[in-house]
């Protein structure tokens, strides 16, 4: 799955979404996703699998975090398994929920 496909899936949540950064300030809730790392898996001296880790950050106010998480998780459940972590950003007064998953890169 490429970055544009991930974007298309995330936009189905009806939460504003951007790859890496928004070009202008956003009011929460919003999503940012990025390619965190790439890994090559080799066997017999040849790359047999390439994968990338995708991280999605959901920024949501306290009053909306549960509903927004539910919406995002419905989208993610439709195409992948993932890990989830949540933190509170005192400076922004927002919860940030991090979702991570791996995708195989086709060559």
């Amino acid at each position: 799955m490429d970055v544009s496909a991930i974007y298309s899936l995330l936009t189905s949540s009806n939460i504003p979404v951007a790859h890496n950064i928004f070009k202008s300030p956003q009011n929460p809730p919003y999503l940012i996703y990025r390619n965190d790392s790439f890994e090559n898996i080799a066997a017999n001296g040849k790359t047999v699998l390439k994968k990338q880790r995708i991280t999605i950050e959901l920024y949501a106010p306290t009053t909306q975090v549960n509903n927004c998480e539910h919406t995002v998780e419905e989208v993610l459940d439709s195409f992948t398994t993932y890990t989830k972590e949540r933190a509170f950003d005192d400076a922004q007064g927002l919860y940030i929920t991090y979702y991570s998953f791996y995708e195989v890169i086709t060559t």
Side-chain angles (χ1 to χ4, degrees):
M1 176 179 302
D2 64 15
V3 173
S4 63
I6 294 168
Y7 177 82
S8 294
L9 287 165
L10 292 176
T11 57
S12 71
S13 71
N14 293 319
I15 298 172
V17 61
H19 183 238
N20 292 324
I21 61 169
F22 281 95
K23 294 181 181 179
S24 60
Q26 295 293 306
N27 291 321
Y30 58 88
L31 296 165
I32 295 175
Y33 70 100
R34 62 180 187 277
N35 312 56
D36 281 340
S37 63
F38 295 88
E39 182 179 346
N40 290 335
I41 299 170
N44 298 327
K46 293 184 179 183
T47 298
V48 295
L49 180 68
K50 293 182 179 186
K51 63 182 185 173
Q52 64 180 336
R53 187 177 82 187
I54 306 293
T55 297
I56 300 165
E57 298 174 5
L58 166 64
Y59 292 80
T62 304
T63 57
Q64 297 178 14
V65 69
N66 290 328
N67 288 337
C68 290
E69 283 181 351
H70 178 74
T71 300
V72 171
E73 289 167 17
E74 281 185 326
V75 172
L76 293 175
D77 288 341
S78 73
F79 74 94
T80 192
T81 58
Y82 53 88
T83 61
K84 172 184 171 180
E85 295 181 46
R86 187 196 288 171
F88 187 76
D89 183 338
D90 288 325
Q92 296 185 67
L94 299 173
Y95 278 100
I96 306 170
T97 307
Y98 301 93
Y99 299 95
S100 293
F101 60 93
Y102 284 93
E103 283 295 317
V104 174
I105 302 169
T106 57
T107 55

